């Protein structure tokens, strides 16, 4: 009897690409050993919003909003009303009658805005015939108003009454908004960031553009809030700018180029043609200290306080990374168009290890591979002190398309272009929960 | 948790010390009795002297023309009975006629239909080597003598024990058939009566006309003779014309009426209406009749006509009364709580009545009753005069069974007979173990879905219902709890049973013996009042005679059972009648007495009982029909006592359940039962209760406050273990005995027997019958396939491991047959996800979706579904983490390695087993061991809470000694059990990140 040890996913076709990133089937640090597949959508699912500890909502191109129970995986309510794809969704918590209510605001391509009650499934408010579809939503809790960004910026109060709006912006509208201190708003519009100010005079609210920050050279894809003093923006060509929230000055500027400086002259040409897309910052997330940027199919971790790169991985996925989540414990997750979710851990580099030759990796593709990944392949810039490595500790395979991820305490929910949602759970923990439930039931039935 | 007071009570009770002394013994309802016929002979050693090869069902009739004759057999004659002389046997079984009062009190003026309860007896013809359960029933036929057609259904077997053992089931099943036939028959009989009545009416009209004419003629002749001579006939003609016209009108009117009726009948009640109309007409004619009777002094032809008319009228009255009886039957029976009407689904249920009906004083009862019969057919019937004196029917063809019963019901009955034949086919040992296994399986509610055949568990339902219909018992196959049986109440019922056999028994010793027949007619009523305690005491006071009598019966019974001698040469032995098994019914009635309303008129019933108490003396019959015992005396209890080992079929559990339902009547009840149990053997001797000690465990096992006993369906040792972990006071001080091996014996036995009943593990939507039939073969086939698989692949254990730890196994191949064969083989090892879902997809070509992995655990996959990846289809590659892949074409297996020990027995014996059946059973036994351990794992508290000092050794053992891979298996099974217990559909996919290996031949 012959026996081969080999890794999975050998039929993946793009061997060369995935070779570097292959993790074996043994993933001791991966606790997600149970999954639940939620079916309900008929098209790409793009948005996941947590409502409370138990419920979350999903929305996508089919115009449906579904509310799920994260514990049981049951679909609780189906919110129907939008005729076209949903372009933005946000949860909106307000106090009414002494109780906190959580509602959902959705925006759709059919140029409507709706407020939903997730308990009853009612469409509480609805605004149609907007001049332009809304691309992003932002709730200002302190003012108890919410903003919609499309071709113009509109300010709404709780009762869906339009408070004020900006003048019409001719070209690309607002793609992202971030709340800044002192009632300022930063909005990303194509290549520039516009700072708006909300003026409160009595019950009236007025909005006016304060400044245009035109330091990016290409379209801004990502605009995030880091902490009270900083926010960050990332552009299509890999520019990462950290801004001061108060005086809107540039705190740091990183132009991330994946190619090695040594081969600069040679690869510049190549890069312009081939790697253009790979430099695009599609998504960023931050925990106040670190920023994770999804750049092409790679990941880039930046320490805001140190203003230095912490770790990076040029090829983290087989295709573009679309979404990242930074967890508290120094772990991060990335989701990619290839349908996989990967979990990474920041680890201190033991020693500048001998980089593995690409030939070795090529062999792996055809013959057999050890289940353990030896190390990151592209450690060609070890000159930065304190550089840590980003180790793959596990991956979740289930989806067949682009994925977004939301992390909840009770599990990980992913949504995808394959119309599915998956809840990933810790199997051990779930098993214990079930045991408890069993004994509870026994006790109820007086069988103990 | 057990609350402490209960616990204290439990431990303090000295009575219980006896039970606790050996805690490792399984509760009785879970213990597996050995095959009852131990001793010198094995069940196989017996050779039957019968000249038929397998059991069959015989339907024969006591024809008034030719005497007893066989009508049909199931299976058809040529197959079934070989050289066996059916005619002779029919004669035998029909000559034991227990339906004594078919014709009612003789000489009574009005016809009376007696709706006789079927009688059920066990007969034996030892010379032929044939034994039969015989079910006598009576159908009604207007053209038959006394309107009755006695029939009997017989289940003929060469194995006497089989008949006796299966008596309850047979009785229940045949009762259903009988009820079906009788319902159809009542329908047809009512129709027939309708027609007859219509004809009689017509006859009467004709007669009246004739009489009128005669009278006219006479008067004309007398008074106007001369006139007529002179004037010729015209005057008369005119008169006659007038008459005939009026008659024609009448006839027309009648016809019109009938049309109306038939229209109405479609909506509501045919008969009620008709009879009411006829009533109308009666009045109409009444006037004329008076007129006729006035002219009493008529010439002789006229007198003949008058007599004829009178007789026609009389028979009209009679038939009306008959019709009323038939139509009232159901209403009457419905009042009987034990009557379960046979209701086909397609009956129209319309309960509207026409106002006319009410106006005519029709009662609602009959109207409702009429709905039983599909009144769709109003046969076009041409009225014909009836010769009232025609009595010679011997030249007439008797109606066939199909004509007697409605076509639909006839077909139904035949189907049922076929199904009965299939159900009871086979060796008695096989049947016994099958039933045993089912009963045990039903106990294991929380785990039996895993490896047992789902349909196997469901099948029982049908039978249960059937018997419930008969006895208002939920679960038929129990034997009654012995303690209850021993009460005098049930003994009393023996007596009434003996009275049922007036043919061979002399009635005597009672002044009221004449009243017996009427009670014989409704034997069921004898038992019912016994439930009330008042009756109970009555009985004890006043039934000395019967007690001795009962004893006699019991002795007879026991002797019969012990097979001492049934050597009566040419004799037919009546081995039992149904009443004995009804004592079981009375038991259950006892149980349910609380829930049932007391009999309405207790005193009346008591009266009846007293009347019914008759001493009987058995006569030595010369024509050699020997009543060995009436079945009253074959108590299941006796069966049980006479076997070396108890047939223990779950009644204690039922008892527990009921007690639980009635909110645990506390220990008192148990004690009370004890009291009775102790007293009775003294009173009535040990005849019916050979070993009074025997029943103690049964009762003590079910202290109502021992909640963990059986609802979870555990074995006592599991309970004990459970208890040891849950109960602060450690009642059971030997937790170490819970090491799985200790359990293995009983459970392996269970599963061995289980496997005899379980059929193919595929979800079959076949009707019950077909499944029944193919069980053995399919089981054998599956087992053989599994053996082949084991021989073909030396690394089979890893594939089995994948299945048992919940990892989907894909059998990849390009040839469908080969793939399907492997899937069949592997299905042996696959635990079901839940009772109603099965995770096998024998052959698919569509790319796998993620959701498929949740639903299917064993997939046959067509390699040719996509040509791009010859080695492995893309979807399999994508989900390879969750899949084990057995490649049929390349003979490779890719899956995690198994290095535990639990599965080894499953694959090791591949050289030892030759027969698929045997291996199948063996595999189930190994699996049941796994299930037991998983069960323990699931319901052991210690696993799920932080470790405690008193943590049992088992827990430690599980944590330390059990191999990682074995833990995976057990955990998976445990998860399934949990989900099943919580009634959550298994909608999660559990997996683990483990390295796969590839094995290659």
């Amino acid at each position: 009897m012959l026996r081969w040890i080999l890794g999975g996913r050998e039929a993946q076709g793009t061997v060369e690409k995935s070779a570097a990133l292959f993790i074996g089937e043994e993933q001791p640090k991966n606790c997600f050993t149970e999954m639940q597949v939620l079916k309900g959508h008929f098209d790409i699912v793009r948005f996941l919003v947590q409502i409370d500890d138990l419920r979350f909502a999903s929305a996508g191109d089919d115009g449906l909003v579904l509310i799920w129970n994260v514990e049981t995986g049951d679909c609780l309510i189906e919110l129907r009303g939008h005729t076209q794809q949903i372009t933005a969704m946000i949860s909106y918590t307000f106090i009414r009658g002494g109780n906190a209510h959580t509602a959902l605001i959705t925006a759709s391509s059919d140029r409507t805005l709706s407020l939903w009650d997730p308990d009853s499934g009612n469409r509480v408010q609805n605004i149609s015939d907007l001049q332009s579809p809304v691309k992003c939503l932002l709730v200002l809790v302190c003012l108890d108003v919410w903003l919609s960004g499309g071709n113009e910026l509109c300010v709404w109060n709780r009762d869906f009454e339009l408070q004020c709006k900006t003048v019409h912006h001719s070209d690309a509208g607002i793609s992202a908004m971030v709340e800044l201190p002192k009632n300022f708003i930063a909005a990303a519009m194509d290549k520039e960031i516009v700072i708006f100010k909300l003026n409160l005079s009595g019950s009236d609210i007025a909005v006016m553009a304060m400044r245009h920050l035109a330091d990016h050279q290409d379209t801004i894809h990502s605009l995030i809030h880091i902490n009270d003093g900083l926010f960050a923006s990332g552009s299509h060509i890999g520019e990462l700018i950290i801004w001061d929230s108060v005086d809107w000055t540039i705190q740091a500027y990183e132009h991330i180029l994946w190619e090695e400086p040594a081969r600069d002259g040679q690869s510049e040409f190549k890069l312009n043609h081939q790697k253009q897309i790979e430099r695009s910052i599609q998504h960023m997330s931050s925990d106040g200290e670190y920023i994770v940027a999804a750049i092409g199919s790679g990941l880039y971790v930046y320490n805001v306080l140190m203003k230095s790169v912490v770790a990076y991985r040029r090829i983290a996925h087989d295709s573009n990374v679309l979404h990242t989540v930074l967890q508290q414990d120094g772990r991060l997750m990335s989701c990619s168009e290839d349908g996989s979710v990967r979990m990474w851990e920041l680890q201190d580099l033991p020693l500048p290890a001998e980089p593995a030759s690409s030939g070795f990796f090529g062999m792996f593709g055809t013959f057999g591979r050890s289940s353990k990944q030896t190390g990151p392949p592209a450690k060609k810039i070890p000159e930065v002190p304190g550089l840590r490595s980003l180790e793959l500790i596990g991956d979740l395979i289930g989806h067949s398309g682009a994925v977004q991820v939301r992390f909840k305490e009770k599990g990980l929910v992913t949504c995808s272009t394959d119309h599915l949602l998956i809840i990933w759970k810790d199997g051990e923990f779930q098993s214990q929960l079930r045991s408890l439930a069993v004994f509870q039931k026994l006790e109820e039935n007086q069988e103990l | 948790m057990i609350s402490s007071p209960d616990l204290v009570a439990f431990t303090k009770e000295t009575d219980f010390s006896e039970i606790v002394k050996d805690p490792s013994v399984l509760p009785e309802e879970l213990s597996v009795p050995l095959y009852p016929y131990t001793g010198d002979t094995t069940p196989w050693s017996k050779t039957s002297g019968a000249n038929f090869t397998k059991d069959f069902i015989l339907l024969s009739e006591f024809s008034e023309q030719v005497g007893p004759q066989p009508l049909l057999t199931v299976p058809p004659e040529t197959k079934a009975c070989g050289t066996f002389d059916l005619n002779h046997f029919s004669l035998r079984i029909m000559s034991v006629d227990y339906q004594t009062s078919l014709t009612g009190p003789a000489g009574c003026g009005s016809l009376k239909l007696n709706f006789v309860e079927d009688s059920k007896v066990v007969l034996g013809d030892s010379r032929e080597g044939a034994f039969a359960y015989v079910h006598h029933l009576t159908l009604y036929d207007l053209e038959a003598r006394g309107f009755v057609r006695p029939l009997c259904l017989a289940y003929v077997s060469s194995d006497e024990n089989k008949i006796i053992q299966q008596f309850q089931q047979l009785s229940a099943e045949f009762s259903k058939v009988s009820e079906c036939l009788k319902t159809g028959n009542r329908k047809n009989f009512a129709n027939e009566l309708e027609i007859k009545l219509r004809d009689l009416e017509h006859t009467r009209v004709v007669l009246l006309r004739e009489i009128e004419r005669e009278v006219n003629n006479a008067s004309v002749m007398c008074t106007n003779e001369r006139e007529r001579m002179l004037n010729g006939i015209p005057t008369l003609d005119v008169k006659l014309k007038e008459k005939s016209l009026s008659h024609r009108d009448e006839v027309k009117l009648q016809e019109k009426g009938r049309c109306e009726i038939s229209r109405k009948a479609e909506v509501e009640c045919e008969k009620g209406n008709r009879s009411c109309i006829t009533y109308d007409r009666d009045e109409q004619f009444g006037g004329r009749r008076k007129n006729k009777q006035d002219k009493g002094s008529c010439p002789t032809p006229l007198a003949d006509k008058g007599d004829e008319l009178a007789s026609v009228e009389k028979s009209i009255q009679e038939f009306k009364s008959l019709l009323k009886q038939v139509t009232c039957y159901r209403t009457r029976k419905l009042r009987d709580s034990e009557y379960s009407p046979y209701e086909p689904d397609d009956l129209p249920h319309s309960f509207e009545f026409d106002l006319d009906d009410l106006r005519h004083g029709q009662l609602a009862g009959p109207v409702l009753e009429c709905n039983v019969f599909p009144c769709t057919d109003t046969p076009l019937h041409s009225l014909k005069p009836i010769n009232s004196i025609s009595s010679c029917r011997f030249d007439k063809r008797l109606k066939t069974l199909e004509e007697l019963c409605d076509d639909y019901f006839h077909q139904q009955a035949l189907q049922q007979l076929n199904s009965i034949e299939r159900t009871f086919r086979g060796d008695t040992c096989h049947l016994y173990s099958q039933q045993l296994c089912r009963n045990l399986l039903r106990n294991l509610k929380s785990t039996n879905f895993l490896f047992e055949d789902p349909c196997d568990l469901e099948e029982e339902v049908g039978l249960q219902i059937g018997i419930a219909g008969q006895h208002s018992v939920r679960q038929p196959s129990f034997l009654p709890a012995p303690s209850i049986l021993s009460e005098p109440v049930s003994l009393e019922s023996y007596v009434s049973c003996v009275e049922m056999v007036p043919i061979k028994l002399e009635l005597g010793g009672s002044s009221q013996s004449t009243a017996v027949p009427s009670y014989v007619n409704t034997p069921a009523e004898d038992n019912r009042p016994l439930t009330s305690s008042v009756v109970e005491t009555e009985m004890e006071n006043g039934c000395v005679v019967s007690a001795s009598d009962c004893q006699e019966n019991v002795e007879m019974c026991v002797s019969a059972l012990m097979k001492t001698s049934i050597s009566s040469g040419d004799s037919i032995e009546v081995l039992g009648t149904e009443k004995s098994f009804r004592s079981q019914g009375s038991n259950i009635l006892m149980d349910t007495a609380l829930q049932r309303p007391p009999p309405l008129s207790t005193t009346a019933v008591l009266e009846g009982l007293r009347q019914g108490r008759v001493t009987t003396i058995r006569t030595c019959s010369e024509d050699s029909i020997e009543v060995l015992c009436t079945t009253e005396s074959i108590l299941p209890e006796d069966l049980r006592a006479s076997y070396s080992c108890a047939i223990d079929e779950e009644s204690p559990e039922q008892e527990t359940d009921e007690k639980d339902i009635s909110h645990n009547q506390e220990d008192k009840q148990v004690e009370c039962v004890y009291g009775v149990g102790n007293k009775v053997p003294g009173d009535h001797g040990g005849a019916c209760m050979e070993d009074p000690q025997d029943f103690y465990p049964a009762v003590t096992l079910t202290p109502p406050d021992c909640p963990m006993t059986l609802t979870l369906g555990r074995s006592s040792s599991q309970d004990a273990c459970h208890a040891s972990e849950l109960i602060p006071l450690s009642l059971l001080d030997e937790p170490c005995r819970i090491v799985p091996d200790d359990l293995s014996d009983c459970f392996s036995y269970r599963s061995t027997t289980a496997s005899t009943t379980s059929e193919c593990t595929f979800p079959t939507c076949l009707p019950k019958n077909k499944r029944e039939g193919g069980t053995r073969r399919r089981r054998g086939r599956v087992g053989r396939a599994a053996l082949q698989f084991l021989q073909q692949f030396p690394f089979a254990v890893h594939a089995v491991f994948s299945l048992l730890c919940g990892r989907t196994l894909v059998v990849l191949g390009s040839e469908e047959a080969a793939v399907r064969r492997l899937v069949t083989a592997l299905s042996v090892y696959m635990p079901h996800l839940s009772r109603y879902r099965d995770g096998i997809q024998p052959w698919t070509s569509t790319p796998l979706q993620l959701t498929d992995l949740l639903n299917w655990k064993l997939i046959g996959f067509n390699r040719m579904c996509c040509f791009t990846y010859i080695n492995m289809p893309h979807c399999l590659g994508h989900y390879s983490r969750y899949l084990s892949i057995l490649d049929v074409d390349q003979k490779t297996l890719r899956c995690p390695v198994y290095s535990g020990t639990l599965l080894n027995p499953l694959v090791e014996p591949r050289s030892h087993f030759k027969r698929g059946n045997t291996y199948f059973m063996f595999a189930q036994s190994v699996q049941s061991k796994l299930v037991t351990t998983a069960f323990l794992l699931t319901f052991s508290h210690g696993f799920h809470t932080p470790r405690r000092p008193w943590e049992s050794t088992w827990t430690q053992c599980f944590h330390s000694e059990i191999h990682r891979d074995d833990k995976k298996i057990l955990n998976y099974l445990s998860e399934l059990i949990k989900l099943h217990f919580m009634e959550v559909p298994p909608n999660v996919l559990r997996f683990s990140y483990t390295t796969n290996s590839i094995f290659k031949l």
Side-chain angles (χ1 to χ4, degrees), chain A residues 26 32 395 397 431 434 448, chain B residues 1 881-882 975 993 995:
Chain A
E26 218 153 336
F32 296 106
D395 60 349
I397 296 170
S431 172
R434 274 193 287 271
L448 270 186
Chain B
M1 286 283 188
R881 169 174 300 174
Y882 311 117
E975 286 303 314
Y993 301 99
T995 316

Side-chain angles (χ1 to χ4, degrees), chain B residues 677-721:
Chain B
N678 283 330
K679 198 177 67 187
V680 169
D683 284 355
H684 298 279
C688 62
M689 219 1 95
E690 282 192 354
D691 187 6
Q693 307 296 330
D694 207 30
F695 59 78
Y696 276 166
V699 179
T700 49
L701 267 172
T702 60
D705 51 1
C706 179
M708 333 182 310
T709 40
L710 300 159
T711 39
L712 276 177
R714 323 165 171 174
S715 73
S716 77
S717 44
Q718 283 170 335
D719 282 343
C721 155

Side-chain angles (χ1 to χ4, degrees), chain A residues 8-12 318 337-340 395-401 418, chain B residues 848-850 853 872-883 885:
Chain A
R9 298 172 57 84
E10 63 272 12
Q12 203 64 29
D318 295 341
E337 279 176 350
D338 63 11
S340 66
D395 60 349
L396 307 176
I397 296 170
H399 287 299
S400 56
D418 58 9
Chain B
L848 291 182
Q849 302 291 316
L850 191 60
L853 302 187
M872 197 175 294
H874 173 73
C875 58
L876 297 189
H878 187 61
Y879 297 123
S880 65
R881 169 174 300 174
Y882 311 117
L883 299 174
I885 297 167

Side-chain angles (χ1 to χ4, degrees), chain B residues 869-908:
Chain B
Y869 294 97
I870 295 305
N871 274 340
M872 197 175 294
H874 173 73
C875 58
L876 297 189
H878 187 61
Y879 297 123
S880 65
R881 169 174 300 174
Y882 311 117
L883 299 174
S884 296
I885 297 167
L886 177 65
D887 193 324
V888 181
D889 303 328
Q890 299 175 3
K891 304 271 188 272
T892 58
L893 173 67
R894 179 185 175 284
C895 70
V897 184
Y898 175 75
S899 46
T901 52
L902 283 182
L903 293 188
N904 290 339
L906 211 50
V907 291
E908 261 171 15

